[in-house]
């Protein structure tokens, strides 16, 4: 399902393309528009969106833009069904070997892109497999091109043995280069599983989080780190 809305915009304005994606167990909800919002305004908007269910984020973003009288055009929202195999393959690629350009197939070449993804599914032998991640693409400071930040985790849970096995990583990169590891961890999950992580809080702090403990604090305590 796709919805679109166009509004008048000054022809002289230097517009940027914004793209947001909120993914749950079954669906991916995307929102895109053009405007002149600064990163600080985007953070305030995401903070306002945090209390909402992912399926309601489109309405929350639209309301925020109108209530704060922010100029925008080409507003569009879409809902697509997620494939478990596709989501897990994408997460594993970004966590292990992905380049900055790997993210572009989700961003639709937006200037600024923000995504949260919290997905899990019961598979064969009673095992639950899933992933959660936050990704941000923003203009690189002091250089041309874009900066990419990602915090994510894949996990498996075996209910018979009550064992959880996870791989966690904080990664970043610029331009078209490979994403480099800031910190990785294997073993017990760093981020809470089964939909209990505050991933928008993680997204708000993504440029300053450098350790697994900082990521867990943001995701568990629902805080906005200074």
């Amino acid at each position: 399902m796709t919805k679109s809305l166009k509004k008048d915009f000054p022809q002289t304005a230097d517009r940027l393309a914004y793209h947001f994606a909120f993914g749950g167990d079954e669906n991916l909800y995307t929102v895109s528009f053009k405007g002149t919002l600064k990163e600080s305004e985007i953070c305030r908007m995401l903070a306002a969106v945090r209390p909402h269910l992912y399926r309601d984020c489109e309405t929350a973003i639209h309301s925020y833009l109108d209530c704060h009288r922010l100029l925008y055009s080409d507003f569009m929202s879409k809902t697509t069904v997620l494939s478990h195999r596709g989501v897990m393959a994408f997460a594993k690629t970004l966590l292990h070997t992905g380049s900055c350009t790997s993210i572009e197939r989700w961003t639709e070449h937006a200037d600024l892109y923000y995504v949260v993804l919290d997905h899990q599914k019961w598979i064969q032998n009673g095992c639950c497999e899933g992933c959660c991640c936050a990704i941000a693409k923003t203009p690189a400071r002091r250089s041309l091109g874009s900066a990419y930040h990602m915090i994510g985790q894949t996990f498996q849970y075996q209910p018979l043995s009550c064992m959880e096995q996870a791989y966690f990583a904080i990664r970043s990169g610029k331009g078209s280069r490979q994403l480099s590891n800031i910190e990785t961890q294997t073993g017990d999950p760093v981020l809470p599983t089964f939909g209990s992580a505050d991933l928008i809080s993680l997204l708000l702090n993504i440029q300053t989080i450098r350790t697994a403990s900082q990521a867990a604090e943001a995701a568990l305590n629902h805080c906005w780190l200074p």
Side-chain angles (χ1 to χ4, degrees):
M1 180 178 66
T2 301
K3 293 190 290 184
S4 62
L5 176 66
K6 288 191 176 183
K7 295 186 72 172
D8 293 334
F9 205 95
Q11 294 298 317
T12 57
D14 187 14
R15 291 182 295 175
L16 297 174
Y18 302 84
H19 192 88
F20 303 83
F22 307 89
D25 291 344
E26 297 180 352
N27 295 320
L28 182 71
Y29 305 94
T30 60
V31 175
S32 61
F33 60 88
K34 294 180 180 178
T36 58
L37 280 68
K38 296 181 179 180
E39 286 185 60
S40 57
E41 189 67 56
I42 292 294
C43 286
R44 286 191 288 270
M45 183 173 72
L46 288 172
V49 167
R50 271 176 69 191
H52 297 270
L53 297 173
Y54 287 171
R55 66 171 179 261
D56 298 325
C57 286
E58 175 262 330
T59 301
I61 289 175
H62 193 197
S63 296
Y64 184 93
L65 294 172
D66 284 344
C67 289
H68 290 79
R69 299 183 179 180
L70 298 170
L71 292 175
Y72 67 92
S73 67
D74 302 289
F75 188 95
M76 180 175 292
S77 63
K78 182 170 62 174
T79 302
T80 55
V81 177
L82 287 173
S83 158
H84 176 69
R85 180 179 296 180
V87 169
M88 295 303 298
F90 177 67
K92 289 174 182 177
T93 296
L94 292 181
L95 286 169
H96 294 278
T97 61
S99 67
C100 296
T101 54
S102 302
I103 300 176
E104 287 297 334
R105 76 180 185 91
W106 280 52
T107 69
E108 299 185 9
H109 303 288
D111 298 298
L112 290 93
Y113 174 75
Y114 301 86
V115 60
V116 291
L117 185 62
D118 194 350
H119 173 84
Q120 48 269 318
K121 183 176 181 179
W122 290 96
I123 55 177
Q124 67 271 17
N125 301 323
C127 172
C128 183
E129 180 182 62
C131 63
C132 57
C133 62
I135 303 170
K137 171 192 173 183
T138 57
R141 294 169 182 169
R142 302 189 185 92
S143 65
L144 298 175
S146 299
Y148 299 82
H149 298 272
M150 178 190 178
I151 301 173
Q153 174 179 277
T154 54
F155 76 94
Q156 281 194 341
Y157 170 66
Q158 298 282 356
L160 294 180
S161 59
C162 295
M163 291 290 293
E164 283 187 297
Q165 181 71 17
Y167 178 82
F168 167 86
I170 303 172
R171 312 190 77 196
S172 67
K174 290 184 179 180
S176 59
R177 294 180 296 201
Q178 289 293 112
L179 291 166
S180 59
N181 292 331
I182 297 174
E183 181 166 350
T184 63
Q185 190 167 307
T186 302
D188 292 335
V190 172
L191 304 176
T193 53
F194 296 100
S196 56
D198 186 344
L199 295 181
I200 294 183
S201 174
L202 205 62
L203 187 61
L204 286 167
N205 296 282
I206 199 166
Q207 295 190 35
T208 58
I209 291 174
R210 311 296 290 179
T211 67
S213 60
Q214 288 176 338
E217 183 181 4
L220 284 168
N221 296 335
H222 316 292
C223 63
W224 188 345
L225 300 176

